[in-house]
Amino acid sequence: MATANLSRKSGVVGEPPLLILNRLIRTIQIVGDDVHKLFKYAQEKKFAIPAINVTSSSTVVASLEAARDKKAPIILQMSQGGAAYFAGKGVANDKQQASIAGAVAGAHYIRSVAASYEIPVILHTDHCAKKLLPWLDGMMDADEAYYKEHGEPLFSSHMIDLSEEEVDFNIQTTAKYLKRAQPMKQ
């Protein structure tokens, strides 16, 4: 797949693809059906959307600046360790509290600055294994609270990776989280 450079002309004469994207999606940090619209658009136009792991405000800003300069959408994702780093080394993480706090703080930070860059942003969490499910629970609690207040989840999506587990556990656990995420269209 080609790298995205949405400054090139689209199929509509004289209209840059970023303007088309702005019509397709309703917000800068996109969630729900707008994520699917962006993926479909990228597939139709044959470009990839980079996913960058972010661990601090510096990595968030650098990623957003690069995407803005290329006039391209971006996926900003947080791993469990990256989220803990976002919270700081002084926060205990024996029950995933630093990872939860860092992910939630990072998500709020990204939401507060993303609009300034005027590019579509997907906020995703990366590879949640069985031992990290308390991290996912904390982020989904934050999603549900944010959804209750704003009508959309805090994060665009989460990745559950139970590939090392037995198939039945994998399916049952993933189904439980999908049921929880479904009302928020994650």
Side-chain angles (χ1 to χ4, degrees):
M1 251 185 244
T3 303
N5 182 343
L6 296 182
S7 63
R8 288 179 272 157
K9 302 289 185 203
S10 69
V12 177
V13 176
E15 186 172 29
L18 198 55
L19 293 178
I20 294 170
L21 280 174
N22 288 338
R23 281 199 323 269
L24 289 173
I25 58 177
R26 59 183 174 78
T27 59
I28 296 297
Q29 189 205 319
I30 62 174
V31 297
D33 292 336
D34 290 336
V35 173
H36 294 285
K37 289 176 187 175
L38 175 58
F39 288 162
K40 184 177 179 184
Y41 180 78
Q43 185 178 28
E44 289 170 0
K45 299 297 179 184
K46 299 187 185 321
F47 68 87
I49 303 169
I52 310 299
N53 277 333
V54 294
T55 59
S56 65
S57 60
S58 298
T59 58
V60 168
V61 169
S63 300
L64 290 171
E65 285 178 355
R68 179 206 55 212
D69 292 350
K70 290 295 182 184
K71 295 179 176 51
I74 191 168
I75 300 169
L76 297 181
Q77 60 187 26
M78 292 188 154
S79 66
Q80 177 265 347
Y85 187 83
F86 211 104
K89 293 287 187 181
V91 180
N93 205 29
D94 57 312
K95 297 178 184 169
Q96 299 298 321
Q97 58 270 48
S99 295
I100 294 166
V104 171
H108 283 288
Y109 176 75
I110 290 165
R111 279 186 169 274
S112 68
V113 301
S116 300
Y117 292 88
E118 299 179 336
I119 46 104
V121 176
I122 295 172
L123 180 53
H124 177 68
T125 60
D126 198 13
H127 293 278
C128 181
K130 181 180 179 180
K131 68 182 180 181
L132 303 178
L133 289 174
W135 173 53
L136 179 56
D137 290 329
M139 291 184 295
M140 292 205 65
D141 290 345
D143 278 326
E144 289 164 338
Y146 195 88
Y147 183 84
K148 187 175 181 179
E149 188 173 335
H150 301 282
E152 64 184 34
L154 183 59
F155 295 87
S156 305
S157 58
H158 300 285
M159 182 191 296
I160 301 172
D161 181 357
L162 301 176
S163 59
E164 294 181 357
E165 307 305 322
E166 294 293 324
V167 172
D168 288 341
F169 177 82
N170 188 332
I171 292 169
Q172 290 172 4
T173 304
T174 302
K176 178 182 88 170
Y177 284 102
L178 287 173
K179 184 176 182 180
R180 187 174 176 189
Q182 193 280 328
M184 298 179 284
K185 294 187 176 183
Q186 283 182 304

